[in-house]
Amino acid sequence: MKATHVTDINAADARDYMRRLGQAARESAVVVAEAATADKNAALEAVAQCLRDDEARIIEANAEDLTAGKRAKLSDALLDRLALDAGRIAAMAEGCRQVAALPDPVGEVSGMAYRPSGIQVGRMRVPLGVIGIIYESRPNVTVDAAALCLKAGNAVLLRGGSEAIHSNRAIAESLRAGLQQAQLPAAAAQLVETTDRAAVGEMLRMRECIDVIVPRGGKSLIERVSRDAMVPVIRHLDGVCHVYVDDDADLGKAMRVAFNAKARRYGICGAMETLLVAESVARRLLPQLSRQYIERGIELRGCDKSRAIVPRMKPATEDDWYAEYLDAILAVRVVDGLQQAIAHINTFGSRHTDSIVTENLASARRFLRRVDSSSVMVNASTQFADGFEYGLGAEIGISTDKLHARGPVGLEGLTCQKYIVVGDGHVRP
Amino acid sequence: MKATHVTDINAADARDYMRRLGQAARESAVVVAEAATADKNAALEAVAQCLRDDEARIIEANAEDLTAGKRAKLSDALLDRLALDAGRIAAMAEGCRQVAALPDPVGEVSGMAYRPSGIQVGRMRVPLGVIGIIYESRPNVTVDAAALCLKAGNAVLLRGGSEAIHSNRAIAESLRAGLQQAQLPAAAAQLVETTDRAAVGEMLRMRECIDVIVPRGGKSLIERVSRDAMVPVIRHLDGVCHVYVDDDADLGKAMRVAFNAKARRYGICGAMETLLVAESVARRLLPQLSRQYIERGIELRGCDKSRAIVPRMKPATEDDWYAEYLDAILAVRVVDGLQQAIAHINTFGSRHTDSIVTENLASARRFLRRVDSSSVMVNASTQFADGFEYGLGAEIGISTDKLHARGPVGLEGLTCQKYIVVGDGHVRP
């Protein structure tokens, strides 16, 4: 099956085109919402098989994107994200199978209890409807996001980056084929096949057709979506994550956690960007820990007190407290103690993930309650902030918003709960 | 304590004024979020006592609103909603005490479990931050909404209708006094003291200061808020509720449920607006049930098939299927059976509350799963859709949205959950 591709369209056409996609998504959402668990799983298995069968075709399409990308002088990092090979395609297929293996959240009933009136009241987990995903270069998002949305009983509209358009079209054909093999509507997972930016604007306004938008990508994308969206958004802003080493920290644990939180991987949103150290332990901790960071090639930017202990640190400015480096740079600040640490995190942080290292129960308790972040940790590396590590399975993103979903958003975050009431002819007095 | 009142201000002043209120709310939200349960309860008890002590002052202020309302030729229904007397003030105070008696949702930890890595992961319920309430004439909302927001650990900005401004100011003084007696910041519950409409526009845009807006009032208010809000909104649109009497209904139960769902009270959002009857039982049910409705003075508007059975019905048009009468009018439609009933509800309904009357388990199961409403019921009157009946205690409204909160929104809907992670020096491999 060969799809018709829409490449160059004007704004009015974009509007019509998007409305058609949206309408088809809305209609197919009803079918997916009611689909049996076994049918959804069969579809995901079929998609996985189609991806493997279509490997050559997908790699060929990907080559077109890579050629265009080189011509457009994309950075090596970007080209690497864009590139697909047999291994990466197998990983996408495996991801589909893993989502198929997750428990189906749809229809789960909880809290069913008798009320004094005699009615039973509880909640049932149900799909959100149509999810719009707006993302950048990585073509694997096309499969990952579609699999999660479908398993949660939703239809999905996928809008990938223009630099990956050929790869995404090829992958979308495998999605369609898999859905059709399993007798689910192909419109349950549609790719926006135009690279026209007007299409994104249209998606952000399609309240009748889209229930929630999940943007995945860099800051400018998230900001545009936040500014223009009339559809509700589940958003991930920055990950300015902290580790605070408390007065009562075990310094061995502090060394391990603080080093891992920064050095394991720099480029993920759960990576620590600022280390906060209680003044009472700074002289014992910082010299040795700094040596480890510096040996690893990490640049340290410290406050005056930190630099008095480790003079090799560069001076930090207020901008450093706000910075999400995603790189081999770490800001370091010596604080009076717990209260100043919490104030620092709630002022300069991004409500993503923050950890305290302490043996003191009262400090741990206070930190857990008062730090206003989507994940708050005790004696654990911030790099644990991840759907798999939390037992959610794959995630569609990590929300730094407060409404609906906070932290890693997996299948549950792509559903909502309605109330169900069961009586036996009960009427309200 | 006499507050300074802001009555006539221009748009630029409104902006400054609202930003000041918002900033004060944001600061006090931190204090309320961390307040101990006992302190929040003491504040609510103190507010209740202040309301009783201030009864004469509140009634005097209310008289000003009533005089102005009569001069402005408000309807009798509106004047009745506006009027306060000793009984209504006592009811507001009692409402405060009832909220104080509810369990504190803040800090509740759930799902704490060990992961293969050795970390424990769970969720902690935490306040949303600052809630903005925009409401119309009833002055009791000032107290009810403030009590719920405070108990859930939030600060609240209250924007009542201009016709109740004197009453609301008097009530706000009691709120302030109660909060101060309990050593909580008075800015945790602030009334917008200007009636300038620019203040509402400002509220809807104050993303840094307000975390969520809850509009309470008529359709035009909700529509304006939905259109203009840049702050997330928890919304209640229409309550176009249905009862569907299935082929396998017990007709005795059907009579009771269908009559109660319409006739108990017309003006509440959970009142049934359209009765759907399976063709196989219509001839046995409709004549007697219609007689009951007509005796109660309810006007019936039926489809052709209904009118063939009960000729006294007026003919219904498609507009009737969409109508939220909130009055002694009922639309009646005979449908083929379950499937058409579900399609009717999902097409014409407002996703509020819908009920099936049936003895058939398969039909009940299908209805519960497929009807896409915030409350879906079996053999129970739609008038049960209410926070108290569901065991949530008081409610701030009934959400017909899907994200975050669906159905009656009580204390839990005014909170969110963050992840908490506890380890013992764990690092991610």
Side-chain angles (χ1 to χ4, degrees):
Chain A
M1 192 195 69
K2 185 76 188 157
T4 352
H5 295 153
V6 189
T7 311
D8 293 309
I9 55 178
N10 62 38
D13 288 346
R15 182 160 198 280
D16 278 358
Y17 171 66
M18 292 307 298
R19 300 274 148 179
R20 276 202 309 281
L21 290 194
Q23 197 48 45
R26 182 56 81 208
E27 284 161 20
S28 65
V30 178
V31 181
V32 192
E34 296 178 2
T37 306
D39 294 339
K40 291 186 288 188
N41 291 348
L44 293 174
E45 297 284 353
V47 168
Q49 193 53 52
C50 288
L51 285 167
R52 285 183 162 281
D53 295 346
D54 298 344
E55 185 190 290
R57 187 173 54 69
I58 294 171
I59 289 178
E60 199 181 313
N62 184 246
E64 284 190 66
D65 286 331
L66 288 174
T67 306
K70 280 173 202 150
R71 211 181 303 125
K73 307 217 185 304
L74 293 188
S75 71
D76 285 350
L78 227 57
L79 288 171
D80 177 59
R81 280 198 225 169
L82 189 54
L84 292 176
D85 56 19
R88 286 188 174 179
I89 292 171
M92 294 195 290
E94 182 50 30
C96 265
R97 294 205 168 103
Q98 282 174 5
V99 172
L102 290 173
D104 189 346
V106 177
E108 182 200 51
V109 173
S110 59
M112 203 74 188
Y114 278 91
R115 298 289 312 146
S117 61
I119 60 174
Q120 279 172 285
V121 179
R123 295 200 215 184
M124 181 186 279
R125 196 164 280 290
V126 290
L128 287 173
V130 178
I131 317 276
I133 315 275
I134 301 176
Y135 54 106
E136 290 172 339
S137 48
R138 288 182 197 274
N140 63 306
V141 173
T142 310
V143 176
D144 295 352
L148 279 171
C149 291
L150 290 169
K151 180 72 185 242
N154 299 293
V156 59
L157 264 183
L158 300 148
R159 194 348 170 132
S162 55
E163 66 285 359
I165 185 70
H166 298 95
S167 315
N168 286 336
R169 281 175 186 160
I171 293 167
E173 280 190 44
S174 309
L175 278 173
R176 266 194 298 271
L179 285 165
Q180 283 171 334
Q181 277 176 31
Q183 259 108 57
L184 284 182
Q190 296 174 99
L191 180 73
V192 176
E193 301 226 1
T194 169
T195 56
D196 193 314
R197 292 197 64 173
V200 173
E202 210 41 50
M203 267 180 95
L204 297 177
R205 283 188 297 275
M206 288 165 67
R207 272 205 275 211
E208 344 56 78
C209 296
I210 301 182
D211 293 289
V212 64
I213 298 259
V214 183
R216 289 187 55 169
K219 210 164 170 168
S220 69
L221 170 70
I222 312 285
E223 280 171 355
R224 179 185 174 197
V225 168
S226 302
R227 195 182 56 238
D228 297 344
M230 301 185 63
V231 177
V233 174
I234 296 178
R235 228 164 12 148
H236 167 101
L237 282 170
D238 309 347
V240 181
C241 303
H242 302 76
V243 171
Y244 163 59
V245 180
D246 189 40
D247 303 272
D248 293 327
D250 173 310
L251 295 188
K253 293 177 192 170
M255 296 272 294
R256 283 205 302 282
V257 167
F259 188 72
N260 181 270
K262 181 71 215 179
R264 180 181 162 274
R265 283 179 66 187
Y266 303 132
I268 64 172
C269 56
M272 168 177 66
E273 303 292 13
T274 298
L275 172 68
L276 302 171
V277 182
E279 189 147 23
S280 68
V281 297
R283 282 199 176 276
R284 280 178 293 145
L285 180 76
L286 280 181
Q288 196 184 339
L289 183 55
S290 298
R291 218 161 20 241
Q292 287 191 15
Y293 286 132
I294 291 166
E295 272 167 26
R296 181 60 75 95
I298 294 167
E299 174 187 322
L300 301 177
R301 301 187 185 171
C303 66
D304 291 345
K305 287 180 181 172
S306 310
R307 297 183 65 232
I309 301 170
V310 181
R312 286 182 61 184
M313 289 187 194
K314 296 190 178 166
T317 66
E318 191 174 288
D319 285 349
D320 286 297
W321 308 145
Y322 286 111
E324 185 187 25
Y325 304 116
L326 295 173
D327 204 349
I329 305 171
L330 177 68
V332 182
R333 183 176 179 194
V334 171
V335 294
D336 302 339
L338 182 65
Q339 199 169 338
Q340 201 183 7
I342 294 173
H344 179 105
I345 292 169
N346 287 339
T347 305
F348 299 107
S350 64
R351 295 179 169 170
H352 193 293
T353 300
D354 301 288
S355 184
I356 185 174
V357 182
T358 190
E359 298 298 299
N360 184 303
L361 182 58
S363 301
R365 218 168 158 248
R366 212 162 293 149
F367 191 85
L368 284 174
R369 171 90 182 248
R370 295 197 180 168
V371 170
D372 187 22
S373 300
S374 76
S375 289
V376 190
M377 302 185 168
V378 178
N379 293 334
S381 166
T382 53
Q383 300 233 354
F384 277 116
D386 170 275
F388 281 107
E389 292 294 335
Y390 286 8
L392 312 175
E395 68 193 24
I396 196 106
I398 295 188
S399 166
T400 54
D401 277 338
K402 289 181 158 192
L403 283 192
H404 186 66
R406 230 181 151 173
V409 181
L411 288 176
E412 189 184 297
L414 296 173
T415 61
C416 58
Q417 287 182 302
K418 66 184 181 190
Y419 281 94
I420 59 175
V421 175
V422 180
D424 192 27
H426 287 77
V427 298
R428 189 167 170 196
Chain B
M1 193 194 69
K2 186 75 186 157
T4 353
H5 294 152
V6 189
T7 312
D8 292 309
I9 55 179
N10 61 37
D13 289 346
R15 184 160 197 279
D16 278 356
Y17 171 67
M18 291 307 298
R19 299 274 147 179
R20 275 202 311 279
L21 291 194
Q23 197 47 46
R26 182 55 82 206
E27 284 161 21
S28 65
V30 178
V31 181
V32 193
E34 297 179 1
T37 306
D39 294 339
K40 290 186 289 187
N41 291 348
L44 293 174
E45 297 284 352
V47 168
Q49 192 54 51
C50 288
L51 285 167
R52 285 183 163 281
D53 294 346
D54 298 342
E55 184 191 292
R57 187 173 52 71
I58 295 170
I59 290 177
E60 200 180 312
N62 184 246
E64 284 190 66
D65 287 330
L66 288 174
T67 306
K70 280 174 201 149
R71 213 182 302 124
K73 307 218 186 303
L74 293 188
S75 72
D76 286 350
L78 227 57
L79 288 171
D80 178 58
R81 279 200 224 168
L82 189 53
L84 292 176
D85 55 20
R88 286 186 173 181
I89 292 170
M92 293 194 291
E94 182 50 30
C96 266
R97 294 204 167 104
Q98 282 174 3
V99 172
L102 290 173
D104 188 345
V106 177
E108 183 200 50
V109 173
S110 58
M112 203 75 188
Y114 278 92
R115 298 288 311 145
S117 61
I119 59 174
Q120 281 172 285
V121 180
R123 294 201 216 184
M124 182 186 277
R125 196 164 280 290
V126 290
L128 288 173
V130 178
I131 317 274
I133 315 275
I134 302 175
Y135 53 106
E136 290 172 337
S137 49
R138 286 182 200 274
N140 63 307
V141 173
T142 310
V143 176
D144 295 351
L148 278 170
C149 291
L150 290 169
K151 180 72 186 242
N154 300 292
V156 61
L157 264 183
L158 299 148
R159 199 332 176 141
S162 55
E163 65 285 0
I165 185 69
H166 298 95
S167 314
N168 285 337
R169 281 176 187 159
I171 293 168
E173 281 190 43
S174 309
L175 278 173
R176 267 193 297 271
L179 284 165
Q180 283 171 332
Q181 277 176 31
Q183 259 108 56
L184 285 182
Q190 297 174 98
L191 181 73
V192 175
E193 300 226 2
T194 169
T195 56
D196 192 313
R197 293 197 63 174
V200 173
E202 211 40 51
M203 267 180 95
L204 297 176
R205 283 188 297 274
M206 287 165 70
R207 272 206 274 209
E208 348 50 82
C209 297
I210 301 182
D211 294 289
V212 62
I213 298 260
V214 183
R216 290 187 55 169
K219 211 166 171 167
S220 69
L221 170 69
I222 313 286
E223 280 170 354
R224 178 183 176 199
V225 168
S226 303
R227 195 182 57 239
D228 297 344
M230 300 186 63
V231 176
V233 174
I234 297 177
R235 227 162 16 146
H236 166 101
L237 282 169
D238 308 348
V240 181
C241 303
H242 302 76
V243 171
Y244 163 60
V245 180
D246 188 42
D247 303 271
D248 293 328
D250 173 310
L251 295 188
K253 293 176 192 171
M255 297 272 293
R256 283 204 303 281
V257 167
F259 188 72
N260 181 270
K262 181 72 214 178
R264 178 181 164 272
R265 283 179 65 185
Y266 304 131
I268 64 172
C269 56
M272 169 177 66
E273 303 292 13
T274 299
L275 173 68
L276 301 171
V277 182
E279 189 146 25
S280 68
V281 297
R283 281 199 178 277
R284 280 179 292 144
L285 180 76
L286 279 182
Q288 196 183 338
L289 183 55
S290 298
R291 220 164 17 245
Q292 287 190 16
Y293 285 132
I294 291 165
E295 273 167 24
R296 181 60 75 94
I298 294 167
E299 174 187 321
L300 300 177
R301 301 186 185 172
C303 66
D304 291 347
K305 288 181 181 170
S306 310
R307 297 182 65 233
I309 301 169
V310 182
R312 288 180 60 186
M313 289 186 194
K314 296 189 179 166
T317 66
E318 190 175 289
D319 285 349
D320 286 297
W321 308 145
Y322 286 111
E324 184 185 27
Y325 304 117
L326 295 173
D327 204 349
I329 305 172
L330 178 68
V332 182
R333 184 176 179 194
V334 171
V335 292
D336 302 340
L338 182 63
Q339 200 170 335
Q340 201 182 8
I342 294 173
H344 179 105
I345 292 169
N346 287 340
T347 306
F348 299 107
S350 65
R351 295 180 168 169
H352 193 292
T353 300
D354 302 287
S355 185
I356 184 175
V357 182
T358 190
E359 299 298 300
N360 184 304
L361 182 58
S363 302
R365 219 168 157 247
R366 212 161 293 150
F367 191 86
L368 283 174
R369 171 90 181 247
R370 295 197 182 168
V371 170
D372 186 22
S373 299
S374 76
S375 290
V376 190
M377 302 184 167
V378 177
N379 292 333
S381 167
T382 54
Q383 301 233 354
F384 276 116
D386 170 273
F388 281 105
E389 292 295 335
Y390 285 8
L392 312 175
E395 70 195 22
I396 197 105
I398 296 188
S399 166
T400 54
D401 278 337
K402 289 181 157 191
L403 282 193
H404 186 68
R406 231 181 150 174
V409 181
L411 288 177
E412 190 184 297
L414 296 173
T415 62
C416 58
Q417 287 183 302
K418 65 184 181 191
Y419 280 96
I420 59 176
V421 175
V422 179
D424 192 25
H426 286 77
V427 298
R428 191 167 169 196

